[in-house]
Amino acid sequence: MAAVGAWGSAVAPARLSRVARALWAWRARRCLGQDAGAADGGKAAKPSFADEAVQNLLYKMTGLNLQKVFRPVKKELKPPKYKLMTEAQLEEATRKAIEEAKEKLIMPPVLNEREPIDDVLAEDKFLEGTESTKYVFTDLTYSIPHRERFIVVREPNGVLRKATWEERDRMIQIFFPKEGRRVIPPVIFKDEHLVTVFQQDHHEDILNMCIAQFEPDSPDYIRVHHRTYDDIEKHAKYDLLRSTRHFGGMVWYLVNKKKTDGLLIDMIHRDLLDDTTSLITLYHMVHPECQSAEEAKEGKLQGVDLIKVFAKTESQKEGYIQLALQAYEEAMATSTAS
């Protein structure tokens, strides 16, 4: 099926569909971003975000706080519902709630930024000046994945080119609307407006909106996520994303940027020692060449010993981490004595 229109409408000649889809599928496969942790060049392969071992560590650190996962959202007030349950029914309801919470905590993908599209298909000079607007041609066949959908633009100067990613996203949203996504992205995603969002601690909300609005390998998706993670790290507001689907992506970002000191201290202050060792384990997986990883492997270090070696060799805030560990050990000693 095909349709025709000027800029903002879309069209694709049916006779081009088969060849065009094949060409676009090749391009899409080439452009589709790989995981941010993928290996590069001749270097030793490093784990990617999607690896099972990485996902297990990130999920473990995310935590499963049912009260936070199912916290009330702003909506029309309705009378509460009460149910009388037997012990067995309560256990079954709790089990179902845990399973539902795990679904809500599935982490969004982390991809590299997609390569720009700059392919000219034809330069028809005889068409120059015949139109004053651009024409967009879009294949509207429903069975085609959007990544493989053929979309081209005819410029007023006669150039026929493939649509840019931004043009593709706009056309696809017009003809195949996705709930929560707008044709023109809201201005709230601009850097100057993100500052206000962060001041109001709406980090999770802006990330949820970002996932709905942008593709995971788009520049805006990556920019908004990184700005959010940087603000959380700057102000040590890690708990805002704990027990949300965004916590794992934040940890992965901080580990790759070697900016884990604040999160490490936060975990120790919250008595999350297992999460602390998981964070260091992930750091060693991503940066196997670091001194801490080598010493941990040689000495088979675990727990507090692992944290101390990491603080000494990798941390920029060794003193703060040592103080946090000291307070933790004193609290444990007092708890044991009583």
Side-chain angles (χ1 to χ4, degrees):
M1 184 171 73
V4 171
W7 182 255
S9 301
V11 181
R15 63 181 179 275
L16 292 178
S17 293
R18 186 173 302 173
V19 175
R21 287 200 295 270
L23 288 171
W24 178 253
W26 173 83
R27 173 76 185 192
R29 287 192 294 270
R30 186 162 69 91
C31 290
L32 184 57
Q34 296 178 344
D35 248 90
D40 151 24
K43 297 181 181 178
K46 292 184 179 181
S48 68
F49 180 79
D51 286 354
E52 184 178 358
V54 171
Q55 288 286 304
N56 288 339
L57 287 171
L58 292 175
Y59 180 77
K60 181 180 178 183
M61 285 183 275
T62 295
L64 184 62
N65 184 336
L66 293 180
Q67 290 185 342
K68 186 169 185 178
V69 174
F70 294 110
R71 66 188 181 282
V73 295
K74 292 182 179 179
K75 58 182 181 180
E76 182 183 354
L77 292 177
K78 295 181 179 180
K81 294 181 180 180
Y82 299 95
K83 293 183 179 180
L84 295 177
M85 294 184 175
T86 64
E87 191 69 29
Q89 289 174 328
L90 180 60
E91 290 178 0
E92 178 63 16
T94 303
R95 185 191 65 78
K96 288 182 178 180
I98 292 174
E99 291 301 317
E100 186 179 346
K102 289 180 179 179
E103 290 291 324
K104 289 178 177 289
L105 293 180
I106 293 177
M107 291 171 271
V110 175
L111 304 175
N112 282 336
E113 185 176 329
R114 58 199 182 190
E115 297 178 14
I117 301 174
D118 188 23
D119 293 351
V120 175
L121 302 178
E123 295 185 17
D124 301 315
K125 295 297 183 181
F126 65 91
L127 293 176
E128 185 173 359
T130 58
E131 294 289 345
S132 59
T133 59
K134 299 177 183 179
Y135 279 80
V136 182
F137 299 80
T138 301
D139 187 344
L140 299 183
T141 307
Y142 280 95
S143 60
I144 301 175
H146 291 327
R147 283 281 178 169
E148 300 177 12
R149 192 171 299 282
F150 192 65
I151 305 177
V152 297
V153 177
R154 175 71 76 178
E155 297 281 357
N157 62 3
V159 170
L160 180 67
R161 60 172 175 81
K162 289 184 179 179
T164 64
W165 285 112
E166 292 73 20
E167 291 165 342
R168 291 181 57 80
D169 291 342
R170 197 154 56 241
M171 292 301 102
I172 290 171
Q173 180 61 18
I174 288 173
F175 288 102
F176 305 93
K178 181 178 178 181
E179 185 178 357
R181 180 173 295 187
R182 299 183 185 178
V183 175
I184 305 299
V187 295
I188 195 172
F189 293 114
K190 294 184 179 296
D191 286 343
E192 58 268 28
H193 298 298
L194 288 177
V195 175
T196 304
V197 172
F198 297 154
Q199 289 173 346
Q200 298 173 356
D201 289 347
H202 290 320
H203 298 70
E204 182 186 359
D205 296 329
I206 196 66
L207 290 179
N208 287 332
M209 292 176 61
C210 182
I211 290 173
Q213 180 64 43
F214 303 112
E215 292 300 310
D217 59 352
S218 73
D220 286 322
Y221 181 101
I222 295 171
R223 174 184 57 83
V224 171
H225 275 74
H226 289 182
R227 293 284 190 280
T228 305
Y229 299 153
D230 286 335
D231 185 81
I232 286 177
E233 193 274 335
K234 180 180 179 180
H235 298 98
K237 296 180 178 180
Y238 308 101
D239 205 47
L240 289 176
L241 295 187
R242 190 170 273 113
S243 282
T244 74
R245 58 178 173 165
H246 309 292
F247 191 81
M250 179 191 69
V251 173
W252 179 252
Y253 172 77
L254 296 177
V255 167
N256 276 276
K257 293 293 184 180
K258 295 187 175 182
K259 298 168 67 174
T260 55
D261 287 351
L263 180 57
L264 202 69
I265 294 169
D266 180 80
M267 287 176 170
I268 296 173
H269 283 161
R270 297 177 185 277
D271 296 338
L272 300 173
L273 207 67
D274 287 344
D275 289 354
T276 308
T277 56
S278 294
L279 177 61
I280 296 174
T281 300
L282 180 61
Y283 188 99
H284 290 169
M285 290 170 64
V286 176
H287 307 288
E289 73 288 344
C290 70
Q291 182 180 347
S292 174
E294 295 174 359
E295 291 190 20
K297 184 177 180 180
E298 291 175 2
K300 297 181 179 179
L301 302 178
Q302 296 179 351
V304 174
D305 293 334
L306 177 64
I307 300 172
K308 288 180 178 178
V309 168
F310 181 85
K312 183 178 180 181
T313 58
E314 303 297 329
S315 175
Q316 302 293 320
K317 299 180 179 180
E318 178 185 356
Y320 289 99
I321 295 177
Q322 293 290 1
L323 286 174
L325 273 177
Q326 182 179 344
Y328 171 80
E329 290 174 331
E330 289 176 355
M332 290 297 294
T334 302
S335 175
T336 304
S338 59

